[in-house]
């Protein structure tokens, strides 16, 4: 029995789903956490930003299990992740732009290739065939698994409904790669964006929201994958550039009461716009580009305005230090693989009905708690994937492979 679950949605409404480095060392594409000792040194990690990134990743996993629309309002994870990445990118661009971009690509692509090497052959084995109407263009698009400047192709249905994985598994697995494409676009555009921001900070910061209003609400339509990529770039552009503002200290130059008041106004506009443009998924802001852009931007403004710049996690949050370090060190692995692993929980849970006595007497409870069981099971699957695949991130960063990089070190006897 396969339990229906939330279909992965793309933030544009189309269904498909670090430490601050030592000078001269490149950073990872999404995040890389340092050990606690590094975090306490001048110029080390900002553990507040690491905490935000960890919360964003957990929220993404929970949302893709349950599909609760209100989670996109409670914590706009993608906007937060882009804002944090923008701040790190601004810091990196103190070095030559060519070196920074090369380093980011080197860290991003090998984990992407490892994911594609596992997923794409299975698609072909389960009957995926070239689309005749597209001809050679179909094969060219396959190159996006090597360099994700566009959205990699995949079959909407693959295999059979009675197979080990549900027929939509490829859609679920590859859907999150829109973020990798958007991230790559921002990395490539960052040298120019940063120059524009430092010359005209406020117009550059707010321009993406205006662009979203133009191409994300109907007046201007760009068809196909190019249009989807442009909408992503516009929706999260202000969050990325907000990261520049955080790094350069622009937010500190504005009175806090004014910053928070204006951010609250922008967020209120986002909710107002969403209320008049609800989709079948209700308040899922991923389906409403302008609302997503406004809400995410205002939300991130407040988060970064109050950023305490921790070198160590304070109080009770310190008990989560190892987990936060691990998720930051393996952020790319977690993001790439989490949705495929969510899909993989289904055939495992389905076996509960085949257990003698248990399936007959508790089958109703299994069905009622199916999604909760998926959430419980996906974490141990991720815990297995991190040591099995995550070391690719270290190799890409020219580091010795680490099995479980949670920052712990052996103490001398």
């Amino acid at each position: 029995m396969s339990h229906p679950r939330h279909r992965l949605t793309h933030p544009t409404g189309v269904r498909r789903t670090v430490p601050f480095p030592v000078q001269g060392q490149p950073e990872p594409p999404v995040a890389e956490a340092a050990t606690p000792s590094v975090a306490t040194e001048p110029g080390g990690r900002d553990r507040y930003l690491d905490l935000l990134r960890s919360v964003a990743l957990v929220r993404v996993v929970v949302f893709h299990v349950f599909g609760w629309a209100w989670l996109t309002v409670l914590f706009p994870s993608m906007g937060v992740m882009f804002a944090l990445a923008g701040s790190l990118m601004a810091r990196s661009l103190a070095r030559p732009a060519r070196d920074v971009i090369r380093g980011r690509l080197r860290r991003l692509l090998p984990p992407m290739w490892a994911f594609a090497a596992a997923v794409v052959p299975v698609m072909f084995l389960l009957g995926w065939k070239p689309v005749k109407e597209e001809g050679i263009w179909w094969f060219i698009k396959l190159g996006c698994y090597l360099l994700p400047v566009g959205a990699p192709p995949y079959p909407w249905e693959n295999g059979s409904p009675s197979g080990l994985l549900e027929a939509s598994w490829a859609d679920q697995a590859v859907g999150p790669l829109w973020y990798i494409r958007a991230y790559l676009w921002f990395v490539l555009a960052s040298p120019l964006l940063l120059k524009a921001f430092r010359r005209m900070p406020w117009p550059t910061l707010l321009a993406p929201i205006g662009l979203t209003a133009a191409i994300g609400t109907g007046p201007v339509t760009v068809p196909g994958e190019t249009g989807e990529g442009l909408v992503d770039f516009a929706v999260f552009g202000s969050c990325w550039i907000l990261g520049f503002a955080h790094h350069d200290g622009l937010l500190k130059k504005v009175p806090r009461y004014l910053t928070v008041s204006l951010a609250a106004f922008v967020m209120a506009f986002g909710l107002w716009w969403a209320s008049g443009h609800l989709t079948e998924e209700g308040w899922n802001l991923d389906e409403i580009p302008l609302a997503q852009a406004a809400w995410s931007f205002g939300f991130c403004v407040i988060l970064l305005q109050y950023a305490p710049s921790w070198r160590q996690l304070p109080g009770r949050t310190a008990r989560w230090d190892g987990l936060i370090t691990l998720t930051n060190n393996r952020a790319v692995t977690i993001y790439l693989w989490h949705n495929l692993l969510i899909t993989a929980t289904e055939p495992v849970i389905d076996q509960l009905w085949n257990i003698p006595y248990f399936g007959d007497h508790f089958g109703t409870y299994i069905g009622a708690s199916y999604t909760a069981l998926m959430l419980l099971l996906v974490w141990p699957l991720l815990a297995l994937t991190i040591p099995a695949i995550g070391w690719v991130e270290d190799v890409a960063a020219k580091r010795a492979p680490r099995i479980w990089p949670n920052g712990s070190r052996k103490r001398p006897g």
Side-chain angles (χ1 to χ4, degrees), residues 313-321:
L313 294 171
R316 294 183 179 180
T317 58
R319 71 182 65 178
W320 301 99
D321 186 88

Side-chain angles (χ1 to χ4, degrees), residues 256-278:
R256 179 172 290 179
Y257 76 90
L258 181 59
T259 303
V260 174
S261 298
L262 293 176
F265 176 80
V266 173
M267 295 169 70
F269 168 78
L271 292 183
W272 171 79
W273 181 267
S275 68
H277 298 81
L278 299 179

Side-chain angles (χ1 to χ4, degrees), residues 6 11 27 60 110 133 173 215 253 289 330 396 403:
H6 172 68
E27 321 79 1
V60 167
E133 291 78 8
I215 66 176
K253 297 178 182 178
R330 292 294 179 256
I403 300 301

Side-chain angles (χ1 to χ4, degrees), residues 48-49 52 73-76 79-80 83-84 202 205 238-239 242-243 245-246 251-252 254-268 271 293-309:
Y48 174 72
L49 302 186
L52 290 181
V73 178
L74 179 66
F75 195 87
V80 171
L84 300 181
W202 297 111
L205 184 61
S238 287
C239 291
L242 182 64
H246 172 257
L251 296 179
K252 301 300 183 183
V254 182
R256 179 172 290 179
Y257 76 90
L258 181 59
T259 303
V260 174
S261 298
L262 293 176
F265 176 80
V266 173
M267 295 169 70
L271 292 183
W295 180 261
S296 296
F297 176 70
F299 194 95
C300 291
V301 166
I302 294 175
L303 286 180
L304 296 180
Q305 175 68 52
Y306 284 92
S309 190

Side-chain angles (χ1 to χ4, degrees), residues 33-385:
T35 61
S37 62
V38 174
T40 62
E41 298 175 358
R45 295 292 305 199
D46 187 328
R47 300 300 276 166
Y48 174 72
L49 302 186
D50 288 346
L51 174 62
L52 290 181
R53 188 179 293 106
S54 296
V55 172
L57 284 169
V58 171
R59 203 285 281 160
V60 167
V61 175
V62 173
F63 175 72
H64 285 162
V65 172
F66 290 101
W68 291 329
W70 54 267
L71 284 175
T72 64
V73 178
L74 179 66
F75 195 87
S77 286
M78 306 317 298
V80 171
M81 291 171 69
F82 281 118
L84 300 181
S87 180
L88 292 174
M89 192 68 183
R91 175 163 184 161
S92 300
L93 285 172
R95 296 181 283 116
R98 181 180 300 179
D99 294 343
V100 173
I101 293 174
R102 185 187 299 117
R104 293 297 175 107
L105 290 177
R106 189 186 67 243
R107 290 171 179 265
L108 176 67
L109 295 181
M112 170 78 175
W113 296 339
F115 176 80
V119 170
V120 175
V122 177
M123 296 181 192
F124 285 109
L125 287 174
L126 294 180
W128 188 31
K129 296 180 180 179
V131 179
K132 294 181 179 180
E133 291 78 8
E134 295 192 30
I136 191 64
W137 179 244
W138 186 87
F139 294 95
I140 294 176
K141 288 200 297 185
L142 280 178
C144 290
Y145 283 103
L146 300 177
L147 184 64
V149 292
Y154 58 87
W156 289 100
E157 294 188 354
N158 195 227
S160 63
S162 59
L164 183 62
L165 294 174
E166 62 170 326
S168 66
W169 76 270
D171 177 22
Q172 305 296 331
V174 181
L177 297 187
W178 74 266
Y179 171 77
I180 305 299
R181 174 192 63 192
Y183 178 86
L184 180 59
W185 282 29
F186 281 123
V187 166
L188 296 176
S190 281
L192 293 177
L193 288 176
L194 186 58
K195 288 182 179 179
F197 169 75
R198 287 174 174 168
R199 290 183 179 180
M200 300 178 295
W202 297 111
T204 305
L205 184 61
L206 299 176
I209 295 179
L211 181 60
T212 303
I215 66 176
T217 61
V220 178
T221 302
V222 181
E225 296 289 348
T226 301
E228 294 173 11
L230 286 174
V231 172
D232 292 337
F233 191 83
V235 167
F236 298 106
S238 287
C239 291
W240 184 275
I241 299 170
L242 182 64
F244 297 170
H246 172 257
H247 173 266
D248 286 5
L250 179 64
L251 296 179
K252 301 300 183 183
K253 297 178 182 178
V254 182
R256 179 172 290 179
Y257 76 90
L258 181 59
T259 303
V260 174
S261 298
L262 293 176
F265 176 80
V266 173
M267 295 169 70
F269 168 78
L271 292 183
W272 171 79
W273 181 267
S275 68
H277 298 81
L278 299 179
T279 68
E280 61 182 10
E281 297 191 29
W283 285 87
N284 183 359
L285 300 186
D286 291 347
E287 298 283 334
I288 313 169
L290 184 56
Q292 175 76 286
W295 180 261
S296 296
F297 176 70
F299 194 95
C300 291
V301 166
I302 294 175
L303 286 180
L304 296 180
Q305 175 68 52
Y306 284 92
S309 190
W310 295 328
R311 294 309 175 193
Q312 289 181 322
L313 294 171
R316 294 183 179 180
T317 58
R319 71 182 65 178
W320 301 99
D321 186 88
L323 183 60
I324 291 171
T325 299
L326 177 67
T327 55
N328 277 265
N329 270 323
R330 292 294 179 256
V332 179
T333 300
I334 293 170
Y335 186 82
L336 283 173
W337 290 87
H338 80 276
N339 224 51
L340 177 62
L341 296 178
I342 290 173
T343 302
T345 64
E346 297 185 18
V348 177
I349 298 173
D350 289 346
Q351 295 306 310
L352 294 177
W353 274 284
N354 298 328
I355 300 176
Y357 181 83
F358 187 86
D360 294 334
H361 290 78
F362 297 97
T364 301
Y365 298 101
I366 296 172
S369 60
Y370 201 98
T371 50
L373 292 173
M374 291 171 67
L375 183 64
L376 290 175
L377 186 57
V378 74
W379 303 117
L381 291 180
L382 278 169
L384 292 174
T385 302

